[in-house]
Amino acid sequence: MSAVPTNWTVARLGDVSDVIRGITFPATAKQLSKTANNVCCLRTANVQREVNWADVYFVPREFVKRQDQLVRPGDILMSLANSYELVGKVALAKHVPHETAFGAFLGAVRPRTSIEGQYLFHFLRTPFAQSALRDGSSQTTNIANISVGRLGELRVPLAPRPEQKRIADKLDALLARVDACRDRLERVPTILKRFRQAVLSSAMVGTLTETWRVSQAEDSAGVNLAERLVAQHLAAGGHRVGNAADPTEGVHDLSAESLPAGWGLTTLRDAVDPQRPVTYGILKPGPELSGGIPYVRVADFPNDRLALGGIRRTSPAIDAEFKRSRLRAGDLLLSIRGTVGRLVEIPQELEGANITQDTARLAIQPMLNRSFVLWYLRSEHAQSRMRRAVKGVAVRGINIGDVRALQLPVPSRAEQDEIVRCIESLFDLADSMEVRFQTARSCVERLTPALLEKAFRGGLVPQDPSDEPASKLLERIGLETPARVPGRRRMPPSRSTDLKPAIEGNLLDIISHLPKAGFTFDELRQASSADYESLKERLFALLADADSGVEQFFDTDAKSMKLRRVRK
C-alpha cells in the first residue's frame, strides 16, 4: 500500500469493523418459503453488485446461535469460500426485507458506528483489497478460503470521518454513472443481433431491394431460374429414391404468393448440384489418425465460424466408404444434430475432406449465388422452420428429408447479387459498431478500479486540514470498543448423532474413524472438539495437500459439496 495523505492513517479491518462468520446447517434444513419459525439465509450466489434477494432459501431459526449472525442494513457481505476469482467479492446490504442470516461461506463486515460504512465497502472493492484477500487465502483444487482472522488483519487506509463521507458520496455518484453506462453498453449486443436479423428478414422478403427491383426489367427472371434448377435435375435423370424420412408435415409452408412478383420458389433438393445431392456423412469416424483424411464436425464451426485447428482425421478406408459426402471448396455445411442450424462455407484448405452424420453438405448449383443461399439459411425464415422440424429426445436433430425439403426463395441472379451486396455492407457496419462497443466496454471496465484506486490514495476529493485526523478517530474507536473479558470457553450444546464420540488425535485420525468415506463438514465438526476456525484451517491444509488422502467432491444426489477419504 502506498503512503497515505496527511491526516490519514492505516488501520486493521478488525479495528474499524466487526467481522462475523455465518451460520452452519445441514443441506436437509433448507426450506423454500418463509414461515414463522425460519429465517432467510444468504449464500455466495446472492453476493452480486448488490445483495440479490430474488433467489434465497430459508432455514430454521435454531441454527442462528447469536444475534450478530443476522444481517443488518449497512452490513458488507463477503464471499469467504469460493473460486479464486470470486473469493473476496462483496455486496452491500442496503435494505433487509426479511429477518436474514448468512451461510458459513459468507462473512459480514459490520463497520463500527464511527466509520462511514459506504467508505469501507468501496475500499473492499479496490484492486488492492481484492488482490490482498485472494493472495492471503488458503487454497484447494477448486476452492479458496479467507479466514476471519486473516480478514481482520487487512490494512485499511483510513481518512478522517468527514472525508470518508465526501469520498463515499463522490464514489456513489461517479460509480452510479459508470454502472448506468455499463448497463446501456450491455444492451448493444442484443440490439446488433436484432439489427442483423432484421436485415436478413427484410432481404428475404424483397423489402431490402424493393427500390432496386423497380428499376430493373426482370418480371419473371426468378420464376424462370427456379424452373431451370428443376430442369437440371430432370436432365440428369431426376432425384434418386432413398430411404430418408418424409418431410415433417406443416413445416415447409412458404408460398410463392408471399414473395415479390417475379421471384420463384424451390427446395434445397433442387438447389444443389444433381451429381452431389444433399447428404450427411460418416457414421463412425473411428480413432484420430495422424496423416488421415480430415473430416468436419459440428463442434468445428461454433458461431458459424470454422476452427481449422480442431479438425480431426479418419482413415482413408472409412473416407472411401463415405465418398458420397466428400467436400469441395465453396460447399455449404449445415449442422443437423445437437445444435441445429449452424452454417459455414468450406474453404480451399478442406477440399477433399469429409463430414460426419451430424452435418449435411449442400453443393449449391452455380446458377445461384451461394452466399445468398447461406444468408437465407441463417435468416429467421429458415431457422424457425428448422426448429419446427427438430425431433428426438437424447439427441435432437432434423432428418435429411427435412433438409432437402427446406424451401428457398429464388430472385433473379442479379437481385441475389444485389441482396448479398446490401447484406454484407450492412453487416460490415454492424461489425464496426461491435468493435467500437468492445473498445467502449473495455474503457468502462477500467473506470471502476481506476476511480477506487484514486479515491483511496487521496486523489478523488480535496483534503480539509480542519478535519480531525484519522489517528484520533482510531484512538476514539479503541476507547469505545468494549474489552473482551477472558473467561472459560463455553462448550456448545450436545447434539444427538449417530457418529462415534469425538476421537482424540489429529484430524486425519478423526477422519479415518468416521463411519462413512463420504462426509459433510458438519459431520466432521460433530466428531471433533476443535472450534470452527481451527477445524476449517486444518481441513483446508489437508485439502491443499494432494497426498493427504482427503478430497472435496460434488455429491450429485445431495446437490452439495462434500468430503471423502481416498486411498493414497
Side-chain angles (χ1 to χ4, degrees), residues 220-333:
S220 302
V223 174
N224 294 337
L225 180 53
E227 291 172 351
R228 286 166 56 199
L229 294 171
V230 175
Q232 286 287 98
H233 282 272
L234 293 175
H239 296 290
R240 291 191 292 271
V241 177
N243 58 358
D246 292 335
T248 304
E249 187 176 350
V251 168
H252 309 286
D253 55 0
L254 184 60
S255 65
E257 290 75 19
S258 66
L259 301 175
W263 283 29
L265 185 63
T266 191
T267 63
L268 286 185
R269 188 182 192 189
D270 291 324
V272 300
D273 184 338
Q275 305 303 320
R276 305 178 67 226
V278 177
T279 187
Y280 56 84
I282 299 169
L283 300 181
K284 295 181 179 180
E288 170 72 4
L289 183 64
S290 177
I293 307 299
Y295 63 93
V296 185
R297 306 161 296 153
V298 174
D300 294 322
F301 51 106
N303 302 315
D304 295 340
R305 296 181 185 275
L306 188 61
L308 291 171
I311 299 294
R312 296 183 180 179
R313 295 175 180 269
T314 188
S315 70
I318 292 175
D319 169 67
E321 185 180 350
F322 290 89
K323 62 183 179 181
R324 69 168 192 271
S325 55
R326 286 173 180 160
L327 296 170
R328 295 180 189 170
D331 286 346
L332 303 183
L333 198 58

Side-chain angles (χ1 to χ4, degrees), residues 156-476:
V156 180
L158 193 64
R161 175 60 190 264
E163 190 174 346
Q164 292 178 33
K165 183 70 165 61
R166 295 195 297 272
I167 289 172
D169 289 347
K170 187 70 171 179
L171 282 173
D172 285 347
L174 291 175
L175 294 180
R177 294 171 64 183
V178 172
D179 289 343
C181 182
R182 182 187 293 109
D183 290 342
R184 289 175 181 172
L185 279 174
E186 290 306 318
R187 295 200 290 268
V188 170
T190 300
I191 293 170
L192 290 177
K193 181 178 180 180
R194 289 174 180 168
F195 171 76
R196 291 184 175 104
Q197 276 300 329
V199 168
L200 292 181
S201 180
S202 63
M204 299 311 162
V205 296
T207 306
L208 191 62
T209 48
E210 188 172 12
T211 302
W212 178 92
R213 197 165 50 252
V214 169
S215 66
Q216 308 298 311
E218 299 181 328
D219 292 342
S220 302
V223 174
N224 294 337
L225 180 53
E227 291 172 351
R228 286 166 56 199
L229 294 171
V230 175
Q232 286 287 98
H233 282 272
L234 293 175
H239 296 290
R240 291 191 292 271
V241 177
N243 58 358
D246 292 335
T248 304
E249 187 176 350
V251 168
H252 309 286
D253 55 0
L254 184 60
S255 65
E257 290 75 19
S258 66
L259 301 175
W263 283 29
L265 185 63
T266 191
T267 63
L268 286 185
R269 188 182 192 189
D270 291 324
V272 300
D273 184 338
Q275 305 303 320
R276 305 178 67 226
V278 177
T279 187
Y280 56 84
I282 299 169
L283 300 181
K284 295 181 179 180
E288 170 72 4
L289 183 64
S290 177
I293 307 299
Y295 63 93
V296 185
R297 306 161 296 153
V298 174
D300 294 322
F301 51 106
N303 302 315
D304 295 340
R305 296 181 185 275
L306 188 61
L308 291 171
I311 299 294
R312 296 183 180 179
R313 295 175 180 269
T314 188
S315 70
I318 292 175
D319 169 67
E321 185 180 350
F322 290 89
K323 62 183 179 181
R324 69 168 192 271
S325 55
R326 286 173 180 160
L327 296 170
R328 295 180 189 170
D331 286 346
L332 303 183
L333 198 58
L334 172 68
S335 64
I336 60 173
R337 295 285 185 278
T339 303
V340 173
R342 291 182 188 171
L343 277 146
V344 72
E345 184 175 335
I346 298 302
Q348 187 63 46
E349 295 95 318
L350 290 178
E351 177 83 30
N354 217 311
I355 61 176
T356 67
Q357 64 173 331
D358 297 332
T359 56
R361 184 202 62 204
L362 312 175
I364 304 301
Q365 290 200 50
M367 285 185 282
L368 296 171
N369 184 323
R370 64 172 172 263
S371 292
F372 170 80
V373 178
L374 176 71
W375 287 122
Y376 174 74
L377 292 174
R378 284 178 177 168
S379 75
E380 188 59 21
H381 295 283
Q383 291 285 319
S384 63
R385 288 178 168 87
M386 284 189 243
R387 289 195 295 269
R388 284 156 55 191
V390 168
K391 298 180 179 68
V393 178
V395 180
R396 305 277 287 168
I398 57 175
N399 64 57
I400 207 70
D402 273 310
V403 177
R404 292 168 180 162
L406 282 171
Q407 294 164 292
L408 177 71
V410 185
S412 68
R413 175 58 191 256
E415 189 168 359
Q416 291 177 43
D417 296 343
E418 178 64 11
I419 288 171
V420 169
R421 187 194 68 77
C422 291
I423 289 174
E424 292 179 348
S425 175
L426 291 168
F427 272 45
D428 284 345
L429 175 62
D431 290 344
S432 67
M433 292 174 66
E434 196 155 28
V435 170
R436 293 172 65 184
F437 156 71
Q438 296 290 355
T439 302
R441 184 169 67 174
S442 178
C443 290
V444 168
E445 291 304 321
R446 291 196 296 269
L447 276 176
T448 295
L451 286 169
L452 291 170
E453 185 177 356
K454 185 175 182 178
F456 289 95
R457 65 168 185 261
L460 191 64
V461 299
Q463 277 87 46
D464 186 343
S466 66
D467 287 341
E468 179 192 53
S471 57
K472 298 292 185 182
L473 171 64
L474 194 59
E475 289 176 12
R476 193 166 64 253

